[in-house]
Amino acid sequence: MTTEDVRVLGTVPVPEATIRPAGRLRADLRAVEVLWKREMLRLRRNPMRLAMGLLTPLLFLIVLGTGITAAGGSGDGFRQFRTFLFPGVLLMALQAPTVAVGVAIVWDRQAGFLRQMLVAPVRRGAVLAGIILGGATTGAVYGGLVLTVAGVAGIPYRPSLLLVLAELALISAAFTALGVLAAVSFRRIETFQMVVSLCMMPLVFLSGAIFPANGLPGWLGIAVRINPLTYVVDLLRRTLPGPDVTLGGRPSSPQWWGWVPPVGIEALGITLIAVVALALAARRFARSD
C-alpha cells in the first residue's frame, strides 16, 4: 500500500516505517487466507447458487446435445456432438462463480466493507489475490462437478481429467481477475451484470464451443480466431481424454495459415490474461473508495 493510505492495527494507526517486511508478508498471507476462506464459506452456505450455476451448462449438454444428435440421424459427426460440446459446457460452468465474485465486490463497496479492507495494513494486491484465489477454487469446484458427468458426453474417466481440472482452475482465475476488474470499474450492480452479460454471451458463441473454429467463412472466421475464449475451449478440448472429435470433417482447433497454436502456448496466453487483468484491477483498485 502507498504512504498516503491509512493504516490501522485495531483502532490505532500504524506508521508504514514500523511495519517490518516479514510482518507485512505474514499480514499479506493472512489476508489471502481470510479472503479465500470467505469465498469458501459463501460457496458452502449457498448450495442453491451452486445448483443454479450448474443448471445452464448441463441443459446445454443434455438438451441441446441430445436434440442435435437426434436431428442428425445416423451421421457420426452428429452422434459425437455432445462430446464436441462438452468443453464449451465446462466453460459455461465457470461463468457463474466469476459473476458471483464481481457482484460480491460491488456489494462490499455499497455496504462499506470494501473501505475497511482498503485501510487494513496489507497490500491491496494481497486483497485481490485472496479474492481471485477464492474464485479460482470455486470455479474448480463447479468444473469438477461438471466433469463427473463426462461419461454422458462419451468422455472416458481417466487420470488425465485431473489435468483438465487444473486447467479449469487456471481459467477460472483468469475469469475472476477479469470479473474483479469489471467490479472495481463499475459501482452499480445492474451496470456490472449488464456489461458482463453483454460481453460473455457473444464471446462464448464465438469461441468454437458449438461449431468448429476452423474453416468458417469471412468475418465469422476472423471473429472466432481473435476471440481469446476460442483458445480456452481448444485447450480443454485437446486435453480431455478420448479420441479427437470433428464436425463435418473440419478440424476443431483454430488455425492461422495452417498453423495450430500448441497447448502450451494456449495455457501461457490464459496465464498472461490473468496477470494483466490482475495488474489492471490492482491499479484501479488503488483508486477505489
Side-chain angles (χ1 to χ4, degrees), residues 60-61 64 68 80-92 95 201-214 216 224 227 229-234 236-237 247 252:
F60 263 84
L61 177 65
L64 181 63
I68 293 183
Q80 298 175 343
F81 184 73
R82 276 185 297 189
T83 306
F84 182 86
L85 185 63
F86 191 71
V89 170
L90 290 172
L91 180 65
M92 295 176 192
Q95 296 181 47
M201 184 63 69
L203 287 176
V204 170
F205 275 102
L206 293 174
S207 66
I210 303 176
F211 45 79
N214 186 51
L216 299 173
V224 170
N227 181 7
L229 293 190
T230 299
Y231 304 93
V232 173
V233 173
D234 186 58
L236 294 172
R237 182 170 287 135
L247 293 181
S252 58

Side-chain angles (χ1 to χ4, degrees), residues 24-119:
R24 174 176 292 179
L25 178 59
R26 286 195 298 268
D28 289 344
L29 293 177
R30 177 60 179 167
V32 171
E33 179 187 4
V34 169
L35 290 170
W36 176 80
K37 287 182 177 179
R38 186 175 181 233
E39 294 299 324
M40 296 302 98
L41 285 174
R42 284 175 173 168
L43 178 64
R44 187 180 65 184
R45 294 179 178 179
N46 194 358
M48 183 59 65
R49 189 191 87 179
L50 180 62
M52 296 303 296
L54 294 173
L55 180 61
T56 298
L58 292 178
L59 283 176
F60 263 84
L61 177 65
I62 297 172
V63 178
L64 181 63
T66 303
I68 293 183
T69 299
S74 59
D76 290 337
F78 283 102
R79 284 206 304 268
Q80 298 175 343
F81 184 73
R82 276 185 297 189
T83 306
F84 182 86
L85 185 63
F86 191 71
V89 170
L90 290 172
L91 180 65
M92 295 176 192
L94 302 184
Q95 296 181 47
T98 301
V99 174
V101 169
V103 169
I105 292 177
V106 179
W107 271 116
D108 287 341
R109 174 188 285 119
Q110 295 181 356
F113 184 72
L114 183 62
R115 183 183 298 274
Q116 297 177 20
M117 287 194 292
L118 295 182
V119 300

Side-chain angles (χ1 to χ4, degrees), residues 2 7 13 18 22 32 53 70 85 91 97 110 118 120 122 139 155 158 160-161 173 180 190 208 220 222 260 273-274:
T2 58
R7 298 181 176 276
T18 65
V32 171
L85 185 63
L91 180 65
Q110 295 181 356
L118 295 182
V122 295
I155 296 175
R158 296 177 182 172
S160 57
L161 287 178
V180 169
E190 296 82 0
L220 184 58
I222 297 175
V260 179
I273 290 175

Side-chain angles (χ1 to χ4, degrees), residues 21 191 238:
T191 305
R238 292 162 68 179

